[in-house]
Amino acid sequence: MKVLLVEDDAALAEALADALAEAGLLIESTTTGREADFLVRTERYDAIILDLGLPDGDGTRWLSQWREDDIDLPVLVLTARERWSDKAAGFSAGADDYVVKPFETAEVLFRLRALVRRSHGHAHPVIRVGELTLDTHSGSVSLAGRPITLTAQESRLLSYLMHASPRIVSRAELVEHVYNRDHEPDSNVIDVQISRLRRKFGRARIETLRGQGYRLVDLEADT
C-alpha cells in the first residue's frame, strides 16, 4: 500500500511515517498542499492522509479541487479540529474518513487499510483468492491455513495483487503502487520477487500474461 502523507508538523509526520512504514506501508511525505497537488496528479497512490491546517491553504480547499477533477483516491483527514462543523466541512469536501489529533497510530493504520480495501470492492477484512488469504488488519498471509512468511516488499507486492484480483495488473502499475518513486526497481526486480512468491505458494497462482502483466489466480475455483 502506497500512501501520501500531507502534514506540516515535521515531528508528527516523521513519527507517523516511521510507524506506518514499520507496519509495511510505503509512505511518501510532503508538508504543503501545493506539492501534494503536484504529486497526486503525477504519481499513483492507494490513499492520502491529509492534514487540514496546511501553510498554503486549508486542506479542504485542496481536497475539493481534487474531487472536482475526478481524483477519487481514498482520503483520511488527520487534524486537531474536533468540532462537528469542521468534520462536516471535511466530509463535504470529499473526505472518506476523519481522525482527530491526538490519535493512536493503530487507529490510523486500521482506517487506512479499511479505506483501501473498500476502494477495491472488498467489504470483509480478510481477502481470499482460493486458499490464499490476506488479513488486511494484521497483514498476515496464509495458504490453506498455513502461515506464509514474506519480506516487506513481497508483502506489498502480494497485497496489491490480492486487492486487485482477478484484474490483470501491469508492471507499470506495480511499480507505481508498490515501490517508492525515488527508488524505482531495475527491470528484473519485479520478476525476481514474483518468482520468490511463486516458490512460497505455487507457481500457478500468479499468472504472467505477456505484454499485459500479472494476475492472481484462484486455483480452487476450477476444482
Side-chain angles (χ1 to χ4, degrees):
M1 184 193 306
K2 187 175 178 180
V3 177
L4 177 63
L5 172 59
V6 190
E7 170 60 67
D8 66 330
D9 183 326
L12 175 61
E14 182 178 5
L16 180 58
D18 288 347
L20 294 177
E22 182 69 22
L25 278 63
L26 190 60
I27 306 297
E28 296 184 356
S29 301
T30 182
T31 59
T32 67
R34 187 174 302 279
E35 185 176 5
D37 185 62
F38 173 77
L39 290 173
V40 299
R41 297 177 190 277
T42 58
E43 301 292 328
R44 295 294 179 268
Y45 299 97
D46 296 297
I48 302 171
I49 301 174
L50 177 66
D51 182 32
L52 296 186
L54 299 174
D56 56 347
D58 194 282
T60 56
R61 177 172 69 84
W62 296 105
L63 178 53
S64 293
Q65 187 60 58
W66 297 337
R67 295 314 194 208
E68 288 178 9
D69 294 340
D70 295 324
I71 296 173
D72 59 358
L73 287 171
V75 174
L76 174 63
V77 167
L78 191 67
T79 181
R81 304 175 188 176
E82 57 183 8
R83 295 180 304 177
W84 166 243
S85 59
D86 293 319
K87 294 181 181 180
F91 284 120
S92 295
D96 297 282
D97 206 348
Y98 201 109
V99 175
V100 176
K101 304 174 186 176
F103 55 84
E104 293 289 338
T105 302
E107 179 182 4
V108 175
L109 179 61
F110 277 123
R111 289 179 181 273
L112 271 178
R113 285 174 168 165
L115 286 177
V116 172
R117 185 183 73 241
R118 291 197 296 267
S119 74
H120 285 272
H122 301 287
H124 198 280
V126 176
I127 299 175
R128 292 180 171 84
V129 180
E131 293 187 336
L132 188 64
T133 64
L134 167 67
D135 185 329
T136 60
H137 282 172
S138 66
S140 61
V141 175
S142 63
L143 177 62
R146 178 174 58 89
I148 302 293
T149 301
L150 302 175
T151 67
Q153 194 60 59
E154 289 169 352
S155 181
R156 283 192 287 266
L157 183 58
L158 178 62
S159 176
Y160 195 81
L161 289 173
M162 291 195 71
H163 277 83
S165 181
R167 182 172 61 82
I168 299 170
V169 180
S170 70
R171 293 173 64 90
E173 184 177 346
L174 285 175
V175 169
E176 291 172 338
H177 287 268
V178 179
Y179 299 91
N180 190 294
R181 60 190 167 94
D182 295 326
H183 300 89
E184 291 190 357
D186 296 331
S187 59
N188 69 330
V189 168
I190 293 179
D191 293 332
V192 170
Q193 291 176 342
I194 289 289
S195 178
R196 289 174 178 169
L197 288 175
R198 284 170 167 158
R199 286 200 296 270
K200 292 184 177 183
F201 51 77
R203 179 176 182 82
R205 290 187 186 276
I206 300 180
E207 181 182 12
T208 300
L209 294 97
R210 187 174 300 277
Q212 299 181 65
Y214 303 96
R215 177 170 57 195
L216 207 59
V217 179
D218 179 357
L219 296 180
E220 288 69 37
D222 299 324
T223 60

